[in-house]
Amino acid sequence: MPWNNQSGGGWRGGGGGPWGAPPSGPGGGGGGSQQPPDLEEILRRSQDRLRNALPGGSLGGRGLILIVLVLLAVWAASGFYRVEADEQGVVLRFGKYVDQTNPGLNYHLPWPIETALTPKVTRENQIDIGMRMGPGGEARDVPEESLILTGDENIVDVDFSIFWVISNAGNYLFNIQNPEGTVKAVAESAMREVIGRSQLQPVLTQARAVTEQAVFDLMQQTLDSYESGIRVTRVQLQKVDPPAAVIDAFRDVQAARADQERLRNEAQSYANRVVPEARGRSAQITEQAEAYREQTVAEAQGQADRFEAILNEYEQAPSVTRRRMFLETMERVLGSSDKVIMDQGAESGNGVVPYLPLEPLQGGTRPSSNTNTSASTRAVVGGNQ
C-alpha cells in the first residue's frame, strides 16, 4: 500500500509518514516539500515490463522454467575451454588438482565447481645469472651473482644462462611457489658448487664444456628432487674471466702459458719426427751388421771347408794337387791380362811363340787391366813346365 496517513496524524509531528506530509494536490504543491518515490509503484511497473518481454505477455510457470533452462545452458556451456598447441591444460576441482588435458577443445565442470589453467609447456625460458641485459641490448655485470670462489682459492667472474621448459604442468603450478626464482637459486647454487671444487686454470681454458655438463646434471637432479615439473634444456657459459682488477695480469699469464704450450707442441712434433727416423736408421744398421756377420761367417766357413777338402786331396796325391793349385792360381792371375808366350828352349829366333787371341775374334770383350798394374803383362812359361 502507498505510504500515506489513513488514520490522520499517526506520526509524531503530524503528516503522513516518515518522509513528511503527502502532496496536497496532483502537482505536488500545497506544502512545498517533495515526497520520495513509491516502492510499490516501482515494483508494479517492473512486473509490467517483464510481462511485456515474455511470450504471451504473462509470467507463468512455463516462463520461469524457460528462464531457468536458459541460465543452466549458459552456465553449462561456460565449461568449454581451448588448450593451444604450446600449452597444457590443468583442471582444478574446488581448487584441487584433478587432471591434465591435451591441446584442443576440452570441457570441465562449470565454475565454481572446476576451473582450468593453461600454462605454456613448450616455450623455452631463459634466465641470465651474473648479468642483466639493458634496454639497448648491452650486458650489465652483477658482481654479487658472478664472483665465485674456486677450489684453489681464486676468484673467477662467471656469467651464464639457463634454458628450461615445463615438463609437468601440475607439479610446476603447485609444487613450487616461484618457479623462476627457484630455477635461478638452484642454478647459482649448482654453479658455485661445481666451480668450488675445480681449479682456476681448467675453468678458464679447456674445462668449459665439462663445467656446463656438471652444472646441468646437478641442477636437474635438484629440481627433480623438488618435483618441480621443470626440465633444464641447456646451460651456457657466457663469460668466464678473472676479476676486472687483475684481468690484465691474468691475460699475461695466459699468453705465457699459450707460448709454453706452443713450444711444447713444437718440441713434441720434432721428437715425433726425429725419434722414428733414428730408430729406423738404428734398425737398418743393425740389420746390415747382422747380414755382414752372416756373410763373413759363411765365407769363412766355406773357405775352411774348401781348405779341408784340398788338404784331404793333397794328402792322397801331393804332386798332382800341388800342380793343380799352381795352374788354378796362374789361371786366376793371368786370366784378365795380355799374354806373350816365349819359348826358352827355341834354338833359333827370338823365342816368341805366335799367339792368336780368339776372344776378340769371336766378338768377346777384352777384359780391362787393373789400374795398379801395367797395360801388358809378360808371362814366361818354361818349356819344361
Side-chain angles (χ1 to χ4, degrees):
M1 59 180 293
W3 288 101
N4 53 17
N5 190 358
Q6 300 291 340
S7 59
W11 290 94
R12 182 178 303 175
W19 293 284
S24 57
S33 61
Q34 186 176 3
Q35 188 176 359
D38 192 344
L39 294 180
E40 290 186 356
E41 183 66 20
I42 293 176
L43 293 175
R44 185 179 59 80
R45 292 178 180 177
S46 299
Q47 292 175 356
D48 293 339
R49 292 193 186 96
L50 184 59
R51 290 191 189 98
N52 295 330
L54 291 175
S58 62
L59 183 61
R62 293 182 178 179
L64 292 176
I65 293 174
L66 181 60
I67 293 175
V68 171
L69 292 177
V70 171
L71 294 177
L72 287 176
V74 173
W75 179 69
S78 65
F80 288 98
Y81 66 99
R82 177 179 293 278
V83 180
E84 300 297 336
D86 60 341
E87 298 176 342
Q88 188 175 32
V90 178
V91 180
L92 309 178
R93 183 174 299 162
F94 298 111
K96 180 181 179 181
Y97 166 75
V98 292
D99 192 15
Q100 290 185 2
T101 56
N102 296 321
L105 185 63
N106 298 273
Y107 182 80
H108 65 78
L109 295 178
W111 183 89
I113 301 176
E114 289 183 350
T115 56
L117 302 175
T118 56
K120 296 184 179 296
V121 296
T122 61
R123 181 182 61 189
E124 189 176 54
N125 304 280
Q126 177 180 352
I127 296 179
D128 297 326
I129 300 176
M131 62 180 180
R132 298 292 184 273
M133 300 304 296
E138 69 279 1
R140 178 176 58 87
D141 196 19
V142 183
E144 57 270 18
E145 295 180 359
S146 62
L147 297 180
I148 303 176
L149 186 66
T150 63
D152 52 358
E153 298 182 356
N154 287 301
I155 296 178
V156 63
D157 190 0
V158 180
D159 296 342
F160 62 103
S161 299
I162 304 298
F163 298 87
W164 56 278
V165 296
I166 301 173
S167 60
N168 188 302
N171 293 341
Y172 173 79
L173 292 173
F174 304 111
N175 287 354
I176 52 177
Q177 183 177 7
N178 184 6
E180 293 188 0
T182 301
V183 172
K184 181 178 179 181
V186 170
E188 188 173 352
S189 176
M191 181 62 72
R192 291 186 182 277
E193 180 175 347
V194 172
I195 297 295
R197 59 172 183 251
S198 304
Q199 302 295 317
L200 175 64
Q201 187 60 33
V203 171
L204 293 177
T205 54
Q206 73 270 15
R208 294 172 65 96
V210 177
T211 303
E212 292 176 348
Q213 186 62 39
V215 173
F216 175 88
D217 295 338
L218 186 56
M219 280 191 63
Q220 192 62 61
Q221 180 181 357
T222 304
L223 292 173
D224 290 344
S225 66
Y226 295 162
E227 296 183 357
S228 61
I230 293 175
R231 178 172 58 86
V232 180
T233 57
R234 56 195 170 105
V235 177
Q236 183 176 355
L237 290 174
Q238 303 292 348
K239 182 188 71 172
V240 182
D241 290 329
V246 295
I247 191 170
D248 293 336
F250 269 85
R251 287 176 178 172
D252 294 339
V253 173
Q254 293 299 321
R257 290 183 182 274
D259 293 339
Q260 178 186 9
E261 188 69 21
R262 178 178 57 80
L263 295 175
R264 182 184 293 114
N265 293 335
E266 291 178 357
Q268 187 65 35
S269 176
Y270 177 76
N272 293 336
R273 185 180 69 255
V274 172
V275 171
E277 292 178 357
R279 290 176 178 173
R281 288 196 299 270
S282 175
Q284 180 182 4
I285 293 173
T286 302
E287 292 178 357
Q288 291 176 353
E290 291 289 339
Y292 176 75
R293 184 187 66 177
E294 297 292 337
Q295 178 183 359
T296 303
V297 171
E299 291 179 353
Q301 187 65 38
Q303 292 177 2
D305 294 341
R306 179 175 177 276
F307 179 79
E308 291 179 355
I310 295 174
L311 178 61
N312 292 331
E313 296 294 334
Y314 184 81
E315 290 177 350
Q316 295 178 5
S319 59
V320 175
T321 304
R322 186 166 49 248
R323 184 174 181 82
R324 178 183 176 185
M325 293 174 61
F326 173 77
L327 293 176
E328 290 178 353
T329 302
M330 295 303 296
E331 180 181 2
R332 186 169 59 253
V333 172
L334 300 177
S336 59
S337 302
D338 294 336
K339 305 170 187 66
V340 176
I341 301 175
M342 301 182 66
D343 187 4
Q344 296 180 355
E347 297 179 353
S348 61
N350 52 10
V352 177
V353 179
Y355 170 72
L356 180 62
L358 298 178
E359 291 181 358
L361 295 177
Q362 294 176 355
T365 58
R366 196 175 197 178
S368 60
S369 302
N370 193 347
T371 56
N372 295 327
T373 60
S374 61
S376 174
T377 302
R378 295 180 179 271
V380 178
V381 180
N384 56 355
Q385 295 293 328

